[in-house]
Amino acid sequence: MDYSKLDFGVDGDSITAGEQWSYHVFKRLGFASHHNVAIGSAVWYKRTLTCSAGSVTTQDYNDPDFAGFSDGWLETDDPDELQKRANNCAVVHIQRFLADVKSGVAQKPDVFAFAMGTNDDIHFLGDADRALTGKSLENNENINLFTEAGAMRWCIQTIAENFPDARIFVLTPLQTGNPEHNAKIEKQISQIFTKVAGAMSVRLVDCFHNSGICEKFELKDAEGRYLRDGLHPKENGQALEGAFAAAEIGNHLF
């Protein structure tokens, strides 16, 4: 296949933002373009966040007063900063991606990859079976965008509806140096990722079990074999995940 004629779109969190694993995929396969809307600290779903000054709820990207995004994560009482953090989710990232394509900033993707979930709260996973009910996204009360299941279904279907020729991939989070965090991710994979990706007929890329990054060789809060702080890949970890993802994507493009 001539990948040089294909455009690559990507969304994710801090493990994806900038030129990390997806950039390695772009270079290895030789895609024509690489448009990455990932932002650190992102989650799949919309949120309501609260501080001493009050509460804020995720806006839509096309709202007239859209506040922007922030990758901040430290405690804050600044409602403007909190609003930007609430906006930092896959649902709004995809709204931004669509706007970028419409404006010509990005090309229509032939391949699109999601890599989310590391920062998601286990209490907001939702019910995958309910989130998958019905055919349409419009007026579908079963799709709760404030849950991982609902947001994942919405994001995948939105890309599929807007770019019907695109091949879509969903990457699971990586193993970290923290066994408790890894248990949370495994629950997400079994309850949400596998069900939603399977039902939406998109390829699930299991980076957690198959990328080569393993908790046994990583530390909880310090530098290990592939992770610089027990969570974020170093350059060798980015290259390793990128090589694995490139093989999966290359092998499963029709």
Side-chain angles (χ1 to χ4, degrees):
M1 179 177 289
D2 184 1
Y3 298 103
S4 68
K5 296 180 180 179
L6 303 180
D7 295 294
F8 184 35
V10 185
D11 187 25
D13 49 36
S14 60
I15 293 171
T16 301
E19 296 184 351
Q20 299 191 74
W21 70 265
S22 67
Y23 187 73
H24 285 275
V25 173
F26 163 64
K27 298 297 287 185
R28 277 178 171 269
L29 296 182
F31 284 123
S33 69
H34 170 231
H35 191 65
N36 183 358
V37 293
I39 301 174
S41 301
V43 297
W44 276 101
Y45 46 84
K46 291 186 171 186
R47 294 177 285 180
T48 295
L49 301 179
T50 303
C51 68
S52 61
S55 63
V56 296
T57 298
T58 304
Q59 298 172 300
D60 287 320
Y61 188 70
N62 59 359
D63 284 351
D65 60 344
F66 183 70
F69 300 101
S70 172
D71 62 359
W73 55 275
L74 296 173
E75 185 174 345
T76 181
D77 287 324
D78 181 348
D80 293 330
E81 167 65 14
L82 211 62
Q83 180 66 74
K84 293 176 182 179
R85 294 183 188 183
N87 293 343
N88 188 16
C89 66
V91 172
V92 187
H93 292 184
I94 295 309
Q95 293 172 345
R96 174 188 179 182
F97 189 89
L98 297 181
D100 286 350
V101 172
K102 184 176 181 180
S103 68
V105 172
Q107 300 299 312
K108 292 182 180 180
D110 299 287
V111 179
F112 195 96
F114 293 96
M116 285 277 190
T118 296
N119 304 310
D120 288 31
D121 190 317
I122 202 74
H123 298 99
F124 296 98
L125 297 187
D127 184 332
D129 293 329
R130 180 178 179 184
L132 291 164
T133 302
K135 298 183 183 296
S136 175
L137 297 178
E138 297 297 325
N139 302 314
N140 188 338
E141 63 182 12
N142 296 297
I143 302 174
N144 184 352
L145 297 183
F146 288 79
T147 67
E148 183 177 86
M152 190 182 300
R153 187 255 171 104
W154 186 92
C155 289
I156 292 170
Q157 189 164 339
T158 296
I159 290 294
E161 288 180 349
N162 281 273
F163 311 110
D165 294 328
R167 288 283 288 156
I168 301 172
F169 295 81
V170 176
L171 279 64
T172 69
L174 299 166
Q175 288 189 39
T176 73
N178 184 338
E180 291 77 21
H181 185 85
N182 293 340
K184 181 199 80 165
I185 294 173
E186 286 207 273
K187 186 174 183 179
Q188 291 174 254
I189 293 171
S190 64
Q191 294 188 10
I192 308 299
F193 278 76
T194 301
K195 287 187 175 183
V196 175
M200 298 302 296
S201 195
V202 300
R203 184 73 184 181
L204 182 65
V205 179
D206 192 351
C207 295
F208 185 86
H209 295 105
N210 299 317
S211 69
I213 296 175
C214 173
E215 175 261 325
K216 304 306 178 189
F217 304 106
E218 306 300 338
L219 302 174
K220 187 173 181 179
D221 297 305
E223 183 174 348
R225 179 180 288 182
Y226 292 113
L227 306 178
R228 69 174 185 265
D229 54 6
L231 178 64
H232 299 92
K234 301 184 292 183
E235 288 187 8
N236 64 342
Q238 295 166 17
L240 182 65
E241 183 182 10
F244 172 65
E248 287 288 298
I249 291 170
N251 287 339
H252 293 98
L253 281 179
F254 293 153

